Amino acid sequence: MNKLFNNYIGFAALIFVLVFSCKQEQNLPDPYQAGWNGEKVCEVLEDNDYLRVLKCTFPAGVGHEKHYHEPHFGYALVGGTFKLEEATGTREVSFPTGYSWSKDEVSEHQVLNVGDSASVFLIIEYK
């Protein structure tokens, strides 16, 4: 009985290590791959061993299909108002020009520019 218990504990520990040590594979596109109605909204400004810099432009009425972000820093070159859909729900958010944020974990969302003018963002992803 004790040997069976030890085998069970060993097996449970192995499963725990495999589940929590492996990087989860994403089924969604990253922000560069994602677009809106088949059109790209982001362009790569820099891509090196340490980071990737994207410039994403959203004219009024244009969004970004559901995608994921690795940990990143974002900066609003030209702010705007967006409908943001994420795991916690849907809300409207306004980003003033010069607004910045950072995320330390992988995140997923979809956005739509509901304002009346174009918005432009820099996204700096850490590698």
Side-chain angles (χ1 to χ4, degrees), residues 90-106:
T90 301
R91 59 193 167 107
E92 190 171 288
V93 293
S94 292
F95 298 96
T97 297
Y99 179 79
S100 66
W101 70 94
S102 65
K103 291 269 191 168
D104 293 329
E105 68 273 340
V106 174

Side-chain angles (χ1 to χ4, degrees), residues 7-17:
N7 286 341
Y8 176 78
I9 294 298
F11 180 73
L14 175 64
I15 296 300
F16 180 83
V17 168

Side-chain angles (χ1 to χ4, degrees), residues 11 32 46 62 110 120:
F11 180 73
Y32 176 69
E46 176 69 30
V62 171
Q110 175 171 310
V120 184

